[in-house]
Coordinates of all heavy atoms in Angstrom, one line a residue:
M1 N 158.1 88.9 103.6 CA 158.7 90.1 103.8 C 158.1 91.2 102.9 O 157.8 91.0 101.8 CB 160.2 90.0 103.4 CG 161.1 90.5 104.4 SD 162.8 90.5 104.1 CE 163.0 91.7 102.9
G2 N 157.8 92.3 103.6 CA 157.2 93.4 102.8 C 158.2 94.1 101.9 O 159.4 94.0 102.1
R3 N 157.7 94.8 100.9 CA 158.7 95.5 100.0 C 158.5 97.0 100.3 O 157.5 97.4 100.7 CB 158.6 95.0 98.6 CG 157.4 95.4 97.9 CD 157.6 95.1 96.4 NE 156.4 95.6 95.7 CZ 155.5 94.7 95.0 NH1 155.8 93.4 94.9 NH2 154.4 95.2 94.4
E4 N 159.5 97.7 99.9 CA 159.6 99.1 100.1 C 158.6 99.8 99.1 O 158.5 99.3 98.0 CB 161.0 99.7 99.8 CG 162.0 99.2 100.8 CD 162.1 100.2 102.0 OE1 162.2 101.4 101.8 OE2 162.1 99.6 103.1
M5 N 158.0 100.8 99.6 CA 157.1 101.6 98.6 C 158.1 102.4 97.7 O 159.0 103.0 98.2 CB 156.2 102.5 99.4 CG 155.0 103.0 98.7 SD 154.1 104.3 99.6 CE 153.3 103.4 100.8
P6 N 157.9 102.3 96.4 CA 158.7 103.1 95.5 C 158.5 104.6 95.8 O 157.4 105.0 96.1 CB 158.3 102.8 94.1 CG 157.3 101.7 94.2 CD 156.8 101.5 95.7
K7 N 159.6 105.4 95.6 CA 159.5 106.8 95.8 C 159.2 107.6 94.5 O 159.7 107.1 93.5 CB 160.8 107.4 96.5 CG 161.1 106.9 97.9 CD 160.1 107.5 98.8 CE 160.4 107.1 100.3 NZ 159.3 107.5 101.2
V8 N 158.6 108.7 94.7 CA 158.5 109.7 93.5 C 159.8 110.5 93.6 O 160.0 111.4 94.4 CB 157.3 110.6 93.7 CG1 157.2 111.6 92.5 CG2 156.0 109.8 93.7
S9 N 160.8 110.1 92.8 CA 162.1 110.8 92.9 C 162.0 112.3 92.5 O 162.7 113.1 93.0 CB 163.2 110.1 92.2 OG 162.8 109.2 91.2
D10 N 161.2 112.5 91.5 CA 160.9 114.0 91.1 C 159.6 114.1 90.4 O 159.1 113.2 89.8 CB 162.1 114.6 90.4 CG 162.5 113.7 89.2 OD1 161.7 113.7 88.2 OD2 163.5 113.1 89.2
C11 N 159.1 115.3 90.5 CA 157.9 115.6 89.8 C 157.9 117.1 89.3 O 158.2 118.0 90.1 CB 156.7 115.4 90.6 SG 155.1 116.0 89.8
S12 N 157.8 117.2 88.0 CA 157.9 118.6 87.4 C 156.5 119.3 87.3 O 156.4 120.4 86.7 CB 158.6 118.5 86.0 OG 157.8 117.6 85.2
V13 N 155.5 118.8 87.9 CA 154.2 119.4 87.8 C 154.0 120.4 88.8 O 153.4 120.2 89.9 CB 153.1 118.3 87.9 CG1 151.7 118.9 87.6 CG2 153.3 117.1 86.8
S14 N 154.6 121.6 88.6 CA 154.7 122.6 89.6 C 153.4 123.3 90.0 O 153.3 123.8 91.1 CB 155.7 123.8 89.1 OG 155.2 124.2 87.9
N15 N 152.3 123.1 89.2 CA 151.0 123.7 89.6 C 150.2 122.7 90.4 O 149.0 123.0 90.7 CB 150.3 124.2 88.3 CG 149.9 123.1 87.4 OD1 150.4 122.0 87.5 ND2 149.0 123.3 86.5
C16 N 150.7 121.6 90.8 CA 150.0 120.7 91.7 C 150.2 121.1 93.1 O 151.3 121.6 93.6 CB 150.6 119.3 91.5 SG 149.8 118.1 92.7
A17 N 149.1 121.0 93.9 CA 149.2 121.5 95.3 C 150.2 120.7 96.2 O 150.7 121.3 97.2 CB 147.8 121.3 96.0
Y18 N 150.6 119.6 95.8 CA 151.5 118.8 96.5 C 153.0 119.0 96.1 O 153.9 118.4 96.7 CB 151.3 117.2 96.4 CG 150.0 116.8 97.2 CD1 148.9 116.5 96.5 CD2 150.0 116.9 98.5 CE1 147.7 116.1 97.1 CE2 148.8 116.5 99.2 CZ 147.7 116.1 98.5 OH 146.6 115.7 99.2
N19 N 153.2 119.9 95.1 CA 154.5 120.0 94.5 C 155.3 121.2 95.1 O 154.7 122.3 95.2 CB 154.4 120.2 93.0 CG 155.8 120.0 92.3 OD1 156.6 120.8 92.4 ND2 155.9 118.9 91.6
S20 N 156.5 121.0 95.5 CA 157.3 122.2 95.7 C 158.8 121.8 95.4 O 159.2 120.6 95.7 CB 157.2 122.8 97.2 OG 157.7 121.9 98.1
N21 N 159.4 122.7 94.7 CA 160.9 122.4 94.3 C 161.0 121.1 93.6 O 161.9 120.4 93.8 CB 161.8 122.5 95.5 CG 161.8 123.9 96.1 OD1 161.7 124.8 95.4 ND2 162.0 123.9 97.4
K22 N 160.1 120.8 92.7 CA 160.1 119.6 91.8 C 160.1 118.3 92.7 O 160.6 117.3 92.2 CB 161.3 119.6 90.9 CG 161.3 120.7 89.8 CD 162.2 120.4 88.7 CE 162.4 121.5 87.8 NZ 161.4 121.9 86.9
A23 N 159.5 118.4 93.8 CA 159.3 117.2 94.6 C 157.9 117.1 95.0 O 157.2 118.1 95.2 CB 160.2 117.3 95.9
C24 N 157.4 115.8 95.2 CA 156.0 115.6 95.6 C 156.0 115.4 97.1 O 156.7 114.5 97.6 CB 155.5 114.4 94.9 SG 153.8 114.0 95.4
H25 N 155.2 116.1 97.8 CA 155.1 116.0 99.3 C 153.8 115.4 99.9 O 153.5 115.6 101.0 CB 155.4 117.4 99.9 CG 156.8 117.9 99.6 ND1 157.9 117.4 100.2 CD2 157.2 118.9 98.8 CE1 158.9 118.0 99.7 NE2 158.5 118.9 98.8
A26 N 153.1 114.7 98.9 CA 152.0 113.9 99.4 C 152.6 112.7 100.2 O 153.8 112.4 99.9 CB 151.1 113.4 98.3
M27 N 151.9 112.1 101.1 CA 152.5 110.9 101.8 C 152.6 109.8 100.8 O 153.6 109.0 100.8 CB 151.6 110.4 102.9 CG 151.5 111.5 104.0 SD 153.1 111.8 104.8 CE 153.1 110.4 106.0
A28 N 151.6 109.6 99.9 CA 151.7 108.6 98.9 C 150.7 109.0 97.7 O 149.8 109.8 98.0 CB 151.2 107.3 99.4
I29 N 151.0 108.6 96.6 CA 150.2 108.9 95.4 C 149.6 107.7 94.8 O 150.1 106.5 95.1 CB 150.9 109.7 94.3 CG1 152.0 108.8 93.7 CG2 151.6 111.0 94.8 CD1 152.6 109.4 92.3
T30 N 148.6 107.8 94.1 CA 147.9 106.8 93.3 C 148.1 107.1 91.8 O 147.9 108.2 91.5 CB 146.4 106.7 93.7 OG1 146.3 106.4 95.1 CG2 145.8 105.5 93.0
V31 N 148.5 106.1 91.1 CA 148.7 106.3 89.7 C 147.8 105.4 88.8 O 147.4 104.3 89.3 CB 150.2 105.9 89.3 CG1 150.5 106.0 87.8 CG2 151.2 106.8 90.0
G32 N 147.4 105.9 87.7 CA 146.7 105.1 86.7 C 145.2 105.3 86.7 O 144.5 105.1 87.7
D33 N 144.7 105.8 85.6 CA 143.3 105.9 85.3 C 142.7 104.7 84.7 O 141.7 104.1 85.0 CB 143.1 107.1 84.3 CG 142.5 108.3 85.0 OD1 142.2 108.2 86.2 OD2 142.4 109.3 84.4
E34 N 143.5 104.3 83.7 CA 143.2 103.1 82.8 C 144.4 102.2 82.8 O 145.5 102.7 83.1 CB 143.0 103.6 81.4 CG 141.9 104.6 81.2 CD 140.6 104.0 81.2 OE1 140.4 102.8 80.9 OE2 139.6 104.7 81.5
P35 N 144.3 101.0 82.4 CA 145.5 100.1 82.4 C 146.7 100.6 81.6 O 147.8 100.4 82.0 CB 145.0 98.8 81.7 CG 143.5 98.8 82.1 CD 143.1 100.2 82.1
N36 N 146.4 101.4 80.5 CA 147.4 102.0 79.7 C 147.6 103.5 79.8 O 148.2 104.2 79.0 CB 147.2 101.6 78.3 CG 145.9 102.2 77.7 OD1 145.2 102.8 78.5 ND2 145.7 102.1 76.4
D37 N 147.1 104.0 80.9 CA 147.2 105.5 81.1 C 147.7 105.8 82.5 O 146.9 105.8 83.5 CB 145.8 106.1 80.9 CG 145.8 107.6 80.9 OD1 146.9 108.2 81.0 OD2 144.7 108.2 80.9
P38 N 149.0 106.1 82.7 CA 149.6 106.2 84.0 C 149.4 107.6 84.5 O 150.4 108.2 85.0 CB 151.0 105.8 83.8 CG 151.3 106.3 82.4 CD 150.0 106.1 81.6
T39 N 148.2 108.1 84.6 CA 148.1 109.5 85.2 C 148.3 109.6 86.7 O 147.9 108.6 87.4 CB 146.6 110.0 84.9 OG1 146.3 109.7 83.5 CG2 146.4 111.4 85.2
C40 N 148.8 110.6 87.2 CA 148.8 110.8 88.7 C 147.5 111.2 89.2 O 147.0 112.3 88.9 CB 149.9 111.8 89.1 SG 149.8 112.1 90.9
D41 N 146.8 110.2 89.8 CA 145.4 110.5 90.3 C 145.4 111.5 91.5 O 144.3 112.1 91.8 CB 144.8 109.2 90.8 CG 144.1 108.4 89.7 OD1 144.0 108.9 88.6 OD2 143.7 107.3 90.0
T42 N 146.5 111.7 92.2 CA 146.6 112.5 93.3 C 146.7 114.0 93.0 O 146.5 114.8 93.8 CB 147.7 112.0 94.3 OG1 147.5 110.6 94.5 CG2 147.7 112.7 95.6
F43 N 147.0 114.3 91.7 CA 147.2 115.6 91.2 C 146.0 116.5 91.6 O 144.8 116.0 91.3 CB 147.4 115.6 89.7 CG 147.3 117.0 89.1 CD1 148.4 117.9 89.1 CD2 146.1 117.4 88.5 CE1 148.3 119.2 88.6 CE2 146.0 118.7 87.9 CZ 147.1 119.5 88.0
F44 N 146.1 117.6 92.2 CA 145.0 118.6 92.3 C 145.6 120.0 92.4 O 146.7 120.1 92.9 CB 143.9 118.2 93.2 CG 144.1 118.8 94.6 CD1 143.2 119.7 95.1 CD2 145.1 118.4 95.5 CE1 143.3 120.3 96.3 CE2 145.2 118.9 96.8 CZ 144.3 119.9 97.2
Q45 N 144.8 120.9 92.0 CA 145.3 122.3 92.0 C 144.5 123.0 93.1 O 143.3 122.9 93.4 CB 144.9 123.0 90.7 CG 145.8 122.5 89.6 CD 145.5 123.2 88.3 OE1 144.6 122.9 87.6 NE2 146.3 124.1 87.9
S46 N 145.3 123.9 93.8 CA 144.7 124.7 94.9 C 145.6 125.9 95.0 O 146.8 125.9 94.6 CB 144.8 123.9 96.2 OG 144.8 124.7 97.3
S47 N 145.0 127.0 95.6 CA 145.8 128.2 95.7 C 146.9 128.1 96.8 O 147.9 128.8 96.8 CB 144.9 129.4 96.0 OG 144.2 129.1 97.1
T48 N 146.7 127.1 97.7 CA 147.8 126.9 98.7 C 148.4 125.5 98.4 O 147.8 124.6 97.9 CB 147.2 126.8 100.1 OG1 146.1 125.9 100.2 CG2 146.6 128.2 100.5
H49 N 149.7 125.4 98.7 CA 150.4 124.2 98.6 C 150.4 123.4 99.9 O 150.5 124.0 100.9 CB 151.9 124.5 98.1 CG 152.0 124.7 96.6 ND1 152.7 123.9 95.7 CD2 151.3 125.7 95.8 CE1 152.5 124.4 94.5 NE2 151.7 125.4 94.5
G50 N 150.2 122.1 99.8 CA 150.1 121.3 101.0 C 151.0 120.1 101.0 O 152.1 120.2 100.3
G51 N 150.7 119.1 101.8 CA 151.5 117.9 101.9 C 152.5 118.1 103.0 O 152.5 119.2 103.7
A52 N 153.2 117.1 103.4 CA 154.2 117.1 104.5 C 155.5 117.5 103.9 O 156.1 116.8 103.1 CB 154.2 115.7 105.1
K53 N 156.0 118.7 104.3 CA 157.2 119.2 103.6 C 158.4 118.3 103.8 O 159.4 118.4 102.9 CB 157.5 120.6 104.1 CG 156.5 121.7 103.6 CD 156.8 122.0 102.2 CE 155.7 123.0 101.6 NZ 154.6 122.5 100.8
D54 N 158.5 117.6 104.8 CA 159.7 116.7 105.0 C 159.5 115.3 104.4 O 160.3 114.4 104.5 CB 160.1 116.6 106.5 CG 158.9 116.1 107.4 OD1 157.7 116.0 106.9 OD2 159.1 115.8 108.5
A55 N 158.3 115.1 103.8 CA 158.0 113.8 103.2 C 158.3 113.7 101.7 O 158.0 114.7 101.0 CB 156.6 113.4 103.5
T56 N 158.8 112.7 101.2 CA 158.9 112.4 99.7 C 157.9 111.3 99.5 O 157.9 110.3 100.1 CB 160.3 111.9 99.4 OG1 161.2 113.0 99.7 CG2 160.3 111.7 97.9
A57 N 156.9 111.6 98.6 CA 155.8 110.7 98.3 C 156.3 109.4 97.9 O 157.3 109.2 97.1 CB 154.9 111.3 97.3
G58 N 155.5 108.4 98.3 CA 155.7 107.0 97.8 C 154.5 106.7 96.8 O 153.6 107.5 96.7
V59 N 154.7 105.6 96.1 CA 153.6 105.2 95.1 C 152.8 104.2 95.9 O 153.2 103.0 96.0 CB 154.2 104.6 93.9 CG1 153.1 104.2 92.9 CG2 155.1 105.5 93.2
G60 N 151.6 104.6 96.4 CA 150.8 103.8 97.2 C 150.1 102.7 96.5 O 149.9 101.6 96.9
A61 N 149.7 103.1 95.2 CA 149.0 102.1 94.4 C 149.1 102.5 93.0 O 149.2 103.7 92.7 CB 147.5 102.1 94.8
C62 N 149.0 101.6 92.0 CA 149.0 101.9 90.6 C 148.1 101.0 89.9 O 148.2 99.8 90.0 CB 150.4 101.8 90.1 SG 150.4 102.2 88.3
K63 N 147.2 101.6 89.1 CA 146.2 100.8 88.3 C 146.6 100.7 86.8 O 145.8 100.1 86.1 CB 144.8 101.5 88.4 CG 144.3 101.4 89.9 CD 143.0 102.4 90.0 CE 143.5 103.7 90.4 NZ 142.3 104.7 90.5
A64 N 147.8 101.1 86.5 CA 148.3 101.0 85.1 C 148.9 99.6 84.9 O 150.1 99.4 84.8 CB 149.3 102.1 84.8
A65 N 148.0 98.7 84.8 CA 148.4 97.2 84.7 C 149.2 96.9 83.5 O 149.8 95.9 83.5 CB 147.1 96.4 84.8
D66 N 149.1 97.7 82.4 CA 149.8 97.5 81.2 C 151.4 97.9 81.3 O 152.0 97.7 80.4 CB 149.2 98.2 80.0 CG 147.9 97.7 79.6 OD1 147.5 96.6 80.2 OD2 147.2 98.2 78.7
C67 N 151.8 98.4 82.5 CA 153.1 98.8 82.7 C 153.9 97.5 83.1 O 153.5 96.8 83.9 CB 153.2 99.9 83.7 SG 154.9 100.3 84.1
Q68 N 155.2 97.4 82.6 CA 156.1 96.4 82.9 C 156.4 96.3 84.5 O 156.6 95.2 85.0 CB 157.4 96.5 82.2 CG 157.4 96.2 80.8 CD 158.8 96.4 80.2 OE1 159.8 96.5 80.9 NE2 158.8 96.5 78.8
F69 N 156.3 97.4 85.1 CA 156.7 97.4 86.6 C 155.5 97.1 87.4 O 155.5 97.1 88.7 CB 157.2 98.9 86.9 CG 158.5 99.1 86.3 CD1 158.6 100.1 85.3 CD2 159.6 98.4 86.6 CE1 159.8 100.4 84.7 CE2 160.9 98.8 86.0 CZ 160.9 99.7 85.1
N70 N 154.3 96.9 86.8 CA 153.1 96.7 87.6 C 152.9 95.3 88.0 O 152.9 94.4 87.1 CB 151.8 97.2 86.8 CG 150.7 97.4 87.8 OD1 150.1 96.4 88.2 ND2 150.4 98.7 88.0
E71 N 152.8 95.0 89.3 CA 152.6 93.7 89.8 C 151.4 93.7 90.6 O 151.4 94.3 91.8 CB 153.8 93.2 90.6 CG 155.0 93.0 89.8 CD 156.2 92.5 90.6 OE1 156.1 92.4 91.8 OE2 157.3 92.4 90.0
E72 N 150.3 93.1 90.2 CA 149.1 93.0 90.9 C 148.6 94.4 91.5 O 148.3 94.6 92.6 CB 149.2 92.1 92.1 CG 149.4 90.7 91.5 CD 149.7 89.6 92.6 OE1 150.3 90.0 93.6 OE2 149.4 88.4 92.4
F73 N 148.7 95.4 90.6 CA 148.2 96.8 90.9 C 149.1 97.5 91.9 O 148.6 98.4 92.5 CB 146.7 96.8 91.2 CG 145.9 96.2 90.2 CD1 145.2 95.0 90.5 CD2 145.8 96.7 88.9 CE1 144.4 94.3 89.5 CE2 145.0 96.1 88.0 CZ 144.3 94.9 88.2
E74 N 150.3 97.1 92.0 CA 151.3 97.8 92.8 C 152.5 98.0 91.9 O 152.8 97.3 91.0 CB 151.8 97.0 94.1 CG 150.7 96.7 95.0 CD 150.2 98.0 95.8 OE1 150.8 99.1 95.7 OE2 149.2 97.8 96.6
C75 N 153.3 99.1 92.2 CA 154.4 99.5 91.4 C 155.7 98.7 92.0 O 156.0 98.8 93.2 CB 154.6 101.0 91.5 SG 156.1 101.5 90.5
S76 N 156.5 98.1 91.1 CA 157.7 97.4 91.6 C 158.9 98.1 91.1 O 160.0 97.6 91.2 CB 157.7 96.0 91.0 OG 157.8 95.9 89.7
A77 N 158.8 99.3 90.5 CA 160.0 100.1 90.1 C 160.7 100.6 91.4 O 160.0 100.7 92.4 CB 159.6 101.2 89.2
P78 N 162.0 100.8 91.3 CA 162.7 101.3 92.5 C 162.2 102.7 92.9 O 162.2 103.1 94.1 CB 164.2 101.3 92.1 CG 164.2 100.9 90.7 CD 162.9 100.4 90.2
N79 N 161.9 103.5 91.8 CA 161.4 104.8 92.0 C 160.8 105.3 90.7 O 161.0 104.6 89.7 CB 162.5 105.8 92.5 CG 163.7 105.8 91.6 OD1 163.6 106.0 90.4 ND2 164.8 105.5 92.1
I80 N 160.1 106.4 90.7 CA 159.4 106.8 89.5 C 159.6 108.4 89.3 O 159.9 109.1 90.3 CB 157.9 106.6 89.4 CG1 157.1 107.4 90.5 CG2 157.6 105.1 89.7 CD1 155.6 107.5 90.1
H81 N 159.5 108.8 88.1 CA 159.5 110.2 87.7 C 158.1 110.6 87.3 O 157.5 109.8 86.6 CB 160.5 110.5 86.6 CG 161.9 110.0 86.9 ND1 162.8 110.8 87.7 CD2 162.5 108.9 86.6 CE1 163.9 110.0 87.9 NE2 163.8 108.9 87.2
V82 N 157.7 111.8 87.6 CA 156.4 112.3 87.2 C 156.6 113.6 86.5 O 157.4 114.5 86.9 CB 155.4 112.4 88.4 CG1 154.0 112.9 87.9 CG2 155.2 111.0 89.1
G83 N 155.7 113.8 85.4 CA 155.8 115.1 84.7 C 154.6 115.2 83.7 O 153.8 114.2 83.6
M84 N 154.5 116.3 83.0 CA 153.4 116.4 82.1 C 153.7 115.7 80.8 O 154.8 115.7 80.3 CB 153.2 117.9 81.8 CG 152.7 118.8 82.9 SD 151.2 118.2 83.7 CE 150.0 118.7 82.5
K85 N 152.7 115.0 80.4 CA 152.8 114.3 79.1 C 151.4 114.3 78.4 O 150.4 113.9 79.0 CB 153.2 112.8 79.3 CG 153.6 112.1 78.1 CD 154.1 110.8 78.3 CE 154.5 110.0 77.0 NZ 154.7 108.7 77.2
E86 N 151.3 114.9 77.2 CA 150.0 115.1 76.5 C 149.0 115.8 77.4 O 147.9 115.3 77.6 CB 149.5 113.8 76.0 CG 150.4 113.3 74.8 CD 150.2 111.9 74.4 OE1 149.3 111.3 74.9 OE2 150.9 111.4 73.6
H87 N 149.4 116.9 78.1 CA 148.6 117.7 78.9 C 148.1 117.0 80.2 O 147.1 117.4 80.8 CB 147.4 118.2 78.2 CG 147.8 118.9 76.9 ND1 148.5 120.1 76.8 CD2 147.6 118.4 75.6 CE1 148.7 120.3 75.5 NE2 148.2 119.4 74.8
E88 N 148.7 115.9 80.6 CA 148.3 115.2 81.8 C 149.5 115.0 82.7 O 150.6 114.7 82.2 CB 147.7 113.8 81.5 CG 146.3 113.8 81.0 CD 145.8 112.4 80.8 OE1 146.6 111.4 80.8 OE2 144.6 112.3 80.6
P89 N 149.4 115.0 84.0 CA 150.4 114.6 84.9 C 150.5 113.1 84.9 O 149.6 112.4 85.3 CB 150.0 115.2 86.3 CG 148.5 115.3 86.2 CD 148.1 115.4 84.8
D90 N 151.7 112.6 84.3 CA 151.8 111.2 84.1 C 153.1 110.6 84.8 O 154.0 111.3 85.0 CB 152.0 110.9 82.6 CG 150.7 110.6 81.9 OD1 149.6 110.8 82.5 OD2 150.8 110.2 80.7
C91 N 153.0 109.3 85.1 CA 154.2 108.6 85.5 C 155.1 108.5 84.3 O 154.7 107.7 83.4 CB 153.9 107.3 86.2 SG 155.4 106.3 86.4
L92 N 156.2 109.1 84.2 CA 157.1 109.0 83.1 C 157.9 107.7 83.0 O 158.6 107.4 82.0 CB 158.1 110.2 83.0 CG 157.3 111.6 83.0 CD1 158.4 112.7 83.0 CD2 156.4 111.7 81.9
T93 N 157.9 106.9 84.1 CA 158.6 105.6 84.2 C 157.8 104.5 83.6 O 158.3 103.4 83.4 CB 159.0 105.4 85.6 OG1 159.6 106.5 86.2 CG2 159.9 104.2 85.8
F94 N 156.5 104.8 83.2 CA 155.7 103.8 82.6 C 156.4 103.2 81.4 O 156.9 103.9 80.5 CB 154.4 104.5 82.1 CG 153.4 103.6 81.3 CD1 152.5 102.8 82.0 CD2 153.4 103.7 79.9 CE1 151.7 102.0 81.2 CE2 152.6 102.9 79.2 CZ 151.7 102.0 79.9
Q95 N 156.4 101.9 81.3 CA 156.9 101.1 80.2 C 155.9 100.1 79.7 O 155.6 99.2 80.5 CB 158.2 100.4 80.6 CG 159.4 101.2 80.8 CD 160.1 101.6 79.5 OE1 159.8 101.0 78.5 NE2 160.8 102.7 79.6
P96 N 155.4 100.3 78.5 CA 154.4 99.3 78.1 C 155.0 97.8 78.1 O 156.2 97.7 77.8 CB 154.0 99.7 76.7 CG 154.6 101.0 76.4 CD 155.7 101.2 77.5
R97 N 154.2 96.8 78.4 CA 154.6 95.5 78.4 C 155.0 95.0 77.0 O 154.3 95.4 76.1 CB 153.6 94.6 79.0 CG 153.4 94.7 80.4 CD 152.5 93.6 81.0 NE 152.0 94.0 82.3 CZ 152.6 93.6 83.4 NH1 153.7 92.9 83.4 NH2 152.2 94.0 84.6
Ligands
SF4_1 S1 153.4 113.3 91.8 FE1 151.2 113.8 91.5 S2 150.5 114.6 93.5 FE2 152.7 114.6 93.5 S3 153.3 116.6 93.0 FE3 153.3 115.4 91.1 S4 151.3 115.7 90.1 FE4 151.2 116.3 92.3
SF4_2 S1 156.3 102.7 86.8 FE1 154.5 101.6 86.0 S2 153.7 100.5 87.7 FE2 155.1 102.1 88.5 S3 153.8 103.8 89.0 FE3 154.6 104.1 86.9 S4 153.0 103.3 85.6 FE4 152.6 102.5 87.7

């Protein structure tokens, strides 16, 4: 049985092209630069905002293997929060093992 893709319940990174009204409208995001660094890899800046306005992003993949919710490079949390942390757009649901 497949499992549901976790949703990005909110994202406060308002200068990202996929963000509007504190929601992420990419179809799916990728998280994690390093095992212990849960950066949103999908973040990018543009003068126009994009994404599918009726979509709420899922977490398509996560490379932050040091997170308790990470199972074989996929996220098993029910949903995640994203926001700025130390000048980077990060998954705030990250929990070190
Ligand atoms: S979750 Fe990532 S891609 Fe989506 S709006 Fe936030 S920073 Fe941008
Ligand atoms: S909660 Fe953990 S496994 Fe899920 S996206 Fe965030 S850092 Fe990755």
Side-chain angles (χ1 to χ4, degrees):
M1 228 182 72
R3 69 172 181 241
E4 296 269 310
M5 199 189 283
K7 292 287 181 195
V8 179
S9 17
D10 50 71
C11 174
S12 58
V13 185
S14 55
N15 63 344
C16 173
Y18 288 110
N19 194 289
S20 67
N21 297 325
K22 294 199 191 287
C24 177
H25 297 290
M27 297 296 276
I29 67 165
T30 301
V31 175
D33 252 355
E34 302 280 337
N36 62 355
D37 186 6
T39 310
C40 176
D41 272 355
T42 308
F43 169 81
F44 94 110
Q45 285 180 285
S46 160
S47 56
T48 53
H49 280 239
K53 287 288 179 257
D54 55 350
T56 301
V59 183
C62 177
K63 292 170 273 174
D66 289 356
C67 175
Q68 285 179 18
F69 294 111
N70 197 286
E71 288 178 7
E72 297 174 330
F73 307 113
E74 297 289 353
C75 178
S76 69
N79 52 59
I80 69 161
H81 304 279
V82 179
M84 293 303 285
K85 195 171 176 195
E86 290 164 8
H87 312 291
E88 282 183 347
D90 268 8
C91 171
L92 303 178
T93 308
F94 175 83
Q95 285 286 338
R97 285 183 198 274

